[in-house]
Amino acid sequence: MVTALRALRGHGAIGLTELASRAGLSRPTVEGLAEDLLASGWLAESPPETGQMGRPRRLFRFRAEAGYVLGVDVGSFSVRALVCDLEGHVVGRSVTRLTSEASRADRLDGVRSAARGALRDAGLDAGRLMAACVGTTGVVTREGVVKLSVALPEWTGVDLVAELNDDIGPVVLVENDCNLAALAERWTGVATGARDLVFVLSGVRTGAGLLIGGELYAGGRGMAGEIGALPLVGWHRAPSHLAGFPGLPAGTPAEEVAGLVFAAARQGDPAARWAVEQYAHDLAEGIAALVLTMDPDLVVIGGGVSRSGDVLLEPLRRHLDPLCLEPPELAVSTLGDQAVVLGAVRHALDHVDARLYDVDATLPEAQPS
Amino acid sequence: MVTALRALRGHGAIGLTELASRAGLSRPTVEGLAEDLLASGWLAESPPETGQMGRPRRLFRFRAEAGYVLGVDVGSFSVRALVCDLEGHVVGRSVTRLTSEASRADRLDGVRSAARGALRDAGLDAGRLMAACVGTTGVVTREGVVKLSVALPEWTGVDLVAELNDDIGPVVLVENDCNLAALAERWTGVATGARDLVFVLSGVRTGAGLLIGGELYAGGRGMAGEIGALPLVGWHRAPSHLAGFPGLPAGTPAEEVAGLVFAAARQGDPAARWAVEQYAHDLAEGIAALVLTMDPDLVVIGGGVSRSGDVLLEPLRRHLDPLCLEPPELAVSTLGDQAVVLGAVRHALDHVDARLYDVDATLPEAQPS
């Protein structure tokens, strides 16, 4: 059953002969499995294909609408939520704006509101979710508690599973946002196929997420990738070079600083170019420490500055390459501000897939349309 | 066959009933498999156990002497070689002394001479080796070429597989020495059971080896753990604090410096204590970068200074803990100068085991006594 299900995923509608060959099973076996999966609601039959001769060919497809997942990105200035079907197609989305000073209660309300908004947009209720994943800045324990957050006020100690289970349960996975962004880059970004990956979030703050062997690597205590905590490697002061650019209009919101500085540098403003130079220098130090420890296949630069890759990449390479034994592969994210929320969706989908493909467990229930 | 073989490893002589229960197979199946494995030379029958009643119980054991492996550690001042049987019992050993200035040709001769010496000590010829592994300082490619070595003269570019295949072939695995030491710590040292491990070689030079998920992690280009190449984190200057201790007798050989300084510090010599303090400070910086990237279960301090753990640990913790988000677990190696060569043996054994346990391959030939 699991073999047949696996062979059907991500392929649209296929016939029984093709399914048998993909699953490595006999045609009669596959025919029986298909009937069982049709009955349990995991398969749907598409209109048959009429060939030039013979009987019309029956076509089956995986019912992506047999369940849904929710991904959430809790940021400093917003909470983003996406609802996707089991093939990862977005069916609902919502964004709640916040200030970076929002209290814990206000931010949690923002999470609930974004989740409800995305479900409403999808026309679904929370009962249709087979898994939900919340990405947050900070060090996250295996139990989903934020053990340490420097960026968000009152956020250290928040137990996101306990806080959100009633609203978007039953399954709430919690992960560090940079780790999820790394997962998204491998799923649908610039890192498809990468095994060992470093994702660097760069913008208002600087952080890193790691994949090893294609999978999330958070470390035993959830602290992998926290190289920014080492004062020797410049990440703590990197954003201050951008914020200190004298050409910024008074009262520029923090989330707009990087974009303005890079835009000015693109137009040749000497002070902006100097700020970018200093920023690239400090960013390179932390990346070099990650590269010299992990030797990844690829380093992906994401976060706010990824929109300015054309300006950043040259000085970054210039500072980074001499620090490493060999220049690392470097790419700029194209997922923009969707990286974390897409990674949350992917993590939730992986959780569902692990249940679907668990040969020792009974198949979860598929939902009707 | 593989299941039965696996169930027999590391248990001494056992009866068929116990073997059947360990392998999860029926008693008649196991009886048949045991006869086949006896015939092929992978099992031996031990003298039967005579119980209080009934027939004597037949006992079988895995023939650890059905094959041998060789492990080699190419160091600055010596080449160490061990020959072990397939259960990892040492049956032969040899050490060849070198100077740190030895040419490539002289060092390669030292490797061949140590290998031959260990085989002679074991009373075996090279044809009995099922695998051989050589550990060397430097960055090693997947093909076994030393891509970069700072510590050994004329060593960059040496193709150890090509150089040694004729003498200690057919299978020559080549690995970075710190990675192998990490493997040894997990096998038989202070890190048994650790999943994610950082091994720090500290002494005349400083290096690191990583295990992730219990397995060697070398990175795609063999450069994982090379944090010492980052000038920001002090490893490049760490040994100079010990070498600069004014109490050293003129002409002290490099390999004896650390021991003398730590001995003087243990006796309260202020200059030696200061040298140790500075050394611990610089060592801590690189370890912090590894810990903040990887969040390992355990950090093992090995190499020359591991004999002086009583003196080093207190200042090392004092400098390290404030640099990390949470103090990492820290242990001092008890394998001394055997860590790398034992790791080479373990890596060679793992290579043999992978062949023995490969259900898709034919069982390799067992050797007669």
Side-chain angles (χ1 to χ4, degrees):
Chain A
M1 189 97 67
V2 165
T3 316
L5 206 52
R6 215 185 249 272
L8 270 161
R9 296 293 293 281
H11 287 294
I14 63 172
L16 286 172
T17 310
E18 190 179 350
L19 180 55
S21 119
R22 276 221 193 101
L25 297 167
S26 75
R27 165 84 196 221
T29 305
V30 157
E31 198 152 5
L33 288 173
E35 291 300 340
D36 291 350
L37 287 167
L38 268 177
S40 65
W42 283 104
L43 248 62
E45 194 160 359
S46 297
E49 200 178 57
T50 327
Q52 287 183 286
M53 48 185 156
R55 284 185 302 177
R57 193 162 72 103
R58 291 180 76 187
L59 292 175
F60 299 89
R61 66 173 179 85
F62 175 74
R63 276 191 69 235
E65 69 277 24
Y68 296 89
V69 300
L70 171 73
V72 180
D73 167 18
V74 185
S76 293
F77 309 105
S78 63
V79 179
R80 293 170 193 283
L82 288 182
V83 174
C84 292
D85 70 20
L86 294 185
E87 295 282 32
H89 305 120
V90 178
V91 297
R93 62 174 76 232
S94 177
V95 180
T96 301
R97 300 286 163 190
L98 292 168
T99 68
S100 57
E101 293 80 29
S103 68
R104 181 193 289 199
D106 285 349
R107 201 169 299 274
L108 285 170
D109 277 345
V111 174
R112 293 187 192 99
S113 145
R116 275 196 300 266
L119 284 164
R120 199 181 316 116
D121 189 37
L124 297 168
D125 63 52
R128 303 292 291 273
L129 297 176
M130 294 187 70
C133 174
V134 177
T136 172
T137 175
V139 175
V140 180
T141 67
R142 285 180 196 277
E143 293 73 34
V145 175
V146 178
K147 192 156 60 173
L148 179 69
S149 168
V150 179
L152 301 182
E154 302 178 19
W155 207 240
T156 296
V158 65
D159 182 343
L160 287 168
V161 174
E163 294 285 357
L164 301 172
N165 222 14
D166 288 347
D167 300 85
I168 56 176
V171 182
V172 179
L173 305 163
V174 184
E175 260 298 336
N176 173 271
D177 52 0
C178 298
N179 289 349
L180 292 176
L183 212 51
E185 293 297 341
R186 186 175 194 271
W187 179 33
T188 183
V190 294
T192 48
R195 287 181 49 78
D196 307 322
L197 179 71
V198 168
F199 175 90
V200 177
L201 179 93
S202 49
V204 179
R205 55 201 169 78
T206 318
L210 310 179
L211 302 186
I212 291 183
E215 304 203 341
L216 276 186
Y217 180 85
R221 301 174 299 179
M223 293 182 172
E226 294 291 334
I227 190 71
L230 191 66
L232 297 166
V233 296
W235 279 11
H236 60 292
R237 65 177 177 254
S240 69
H241 299 300
L242 303 181
F245 168 54
L248 286 175
T252 302
E255 66 269 39
E256 292 173 20
V257 165
L260 288 173
V261 179
F262 279 94
R266 193 177 289 114
Q267 271 150 39
D269 181 295
R273 291 175 74 95
W274 179 243
V276 168
E277 191 70 22
Q278 296 293 94
Y279 180 76
H281 173 273
D282 287 349
L283 192 64
E285 290 184 348
I287 296 176
L290 292 166
V291 166
L292 287 166
T293 301
M294 293 265 312
D295 189 17
D297 306 331
L298 181 64
V299 177
V300 176
I301 310 295
V305 308
S306 63
R307 287 188 297 271
S308 311
D310 58 321
V311 180
L312 176 66
L313 264 187
E314 184 277 322
L316 182 60
R317 275 193 208 279
R318 188 158 31 77
H319 289 291
L320 178 59
D321 291 356
L323 295 176
C324 303
L325 290 173
E326 277 183 23
E329 291 288 322
L330 211 57
V332 175
S333 172
T334 53
L335 300 178
D337 52 19
Q338 298 295 303
V340 176
V341 72
L342 282 170
V345 164
R346 182 65 258 170
H347 197 44
L349 286 172
D350 287 344
H351 182 84
V352 172
D353 284 0
R355 282 172 66 204
L356 284 183
Y357 295 157
D358 181 353
V359 288
D360 296 326
T362 52
L363 208 56
E365 259 183 66
Q367 298 166 15
S369 301
Chain B
M1 188 99 63
V2 166
T3 318
L5 204 53
R6 215 186 249 273
L8 270 161
R9 297 291 294 281
H11 287 294
I14 63 173
L16 287 171
T17 310
E18 191 179 351
L19 180 54
S21 117
R22 276 222 193 99
L25 297 167
S26 76
R27 165 85 195 219
T29 304
V30 157
E31 197 151 7
L33 288 173
E35 291 300 338
D36 290 350
L37 287 167
L38 269 177
S40 65
W42 284 103
L43 249 62
E45 194 158 0
S46 297
E49 200 178 60
T50 327
Q52 287 184 286
M53 48 185 156
R55 284 186 303 177
R57 193 162 71 103
R58 292 179 77 187
L59 293 175
F60 299 89
R61 65 170 181 85
F62 174 74
R63 278 190 67 234
E65 68 277 24
Y68 296 90
V69 300
L70 170 74
V72 179
D73 168 17
V74 185
S76 293
F77 310 104
S78 63
V79 179
R80 293 170 192 282
L82 288 182
V83 173
C84 291
D85 69 20
L86 295 185
E87 295 283 31
H89 305 120
V90 177
V91 297
R93 61 174 76 231
S94 177
V95 180
T96 301
R97 300 286 164 194
L98 293 168
T99 66
S100 57
E101 292 82 28
S103 67
R104 180 193 289 198
D106 285 350
R107 200 167 300 272
L108 285 170
D109 276 346
V111 174
R112 293 186 192 100
S113 144
R116 276 196 299 266
L119 284 164
R120 201 181 313 117
D121 189 37
L124 297 168
D125 62 53
R128 302 293 291 272
L129 297 175
M130 293 187 70
C133 175
V134 177
T136 172
T137 174
V139 175
V140 180
T141 67
R142 286 179 195 277
E143 294 73 34
V145 175
V146 179
K147 193 156 58 173
L148 179 69
S149 169
V150 179
L152 302 182
E154 303 178 16
W155 207 239
T156 297
V158 65
D159 181 343
L160 287 168
V161 174
E163 293 284 358
L164 301 172
N165 221 17
D166 288 349
D167 300 84
I168 56 177
V171 183
V172 179
L173 304 162
V174 183
E175 260 297 337
N176 172 271
D177 52 1
C178 297
N179 289 349
L180 292 176
L183 212 52
E185 292 297 341
R186 186 173 194 271
W187 178 33
T188 184
V190 294
T192 47
R195 286 181 49 78
D196 307 322
L197 178 71
V198 168
F199 174 90
V200 178
L201 179 95
S202 49
V204 179
R205 57 201 167 78
T206 318
L210 311 179
L211 303 186
I212 291 183
E215 305 205 340
L216 276 186
Y217 180 85
R221 301 173 299 178
M223 292 182 172
E226 295 290 334
I227 191 70
L230 191 66
L232 297 165
V233 297
W235 278 12
H236 60 291
R237 64 176 178 254
S240 69
H241 299 300
L242 304 180
F245 168 55
L248 287 175
T252 303
E255 65 270 39
E256 290 173 20
V257 165
L260 288 172
V261 179
F262 279 95
R266 193 178 289 114
Q267 270 150 40
D269 181 296
R273 292 176 72 96
W274 179 242
V276 167
E277 191 70 21
Q278 296 293 93
Y279 180 77
H281 173 273
D282 287 348
L283 192 63
E285 291 185 346
I287 296 176
L290 293 166
V291 166
L292 287 166
T293 301
M294 293 266 311
D295 189 18
D297 305 332
L298 181 64
V299 177
V300 176
I301 311 293
V305 307
S306 63
R307 289 187 298 271
S308 310
D310 59 321
V311 181
L312 177 66
L313 263 188
E314 184 278 322
L316 182 60
R317 275 192 210 279
R318 189 156 32 74
H319 291 290
L320 179 60
D321 291 356
L323 295 177
C324 303
L325 290 173
E326 276 184 23
E329 291 289 322
L330 212 55
V332 175
S333 173
T334 53
L335 300 178
D337 53 19
Q338 297 295 302
V340 177
V341 72
L342 283 169
V345 164
R346 182 64 258 169
H347 196 44
L349 286 171
D350 287 343
H351 182 84
V352 172
D353 283 0
R355 282 172 65 203
L356 284 182
Y357 294 158
D358 182 353
V359 288
D360 296 324
T362 53
L363 209 57
E365 261 183 62
Q367 298 166 14
S369 300

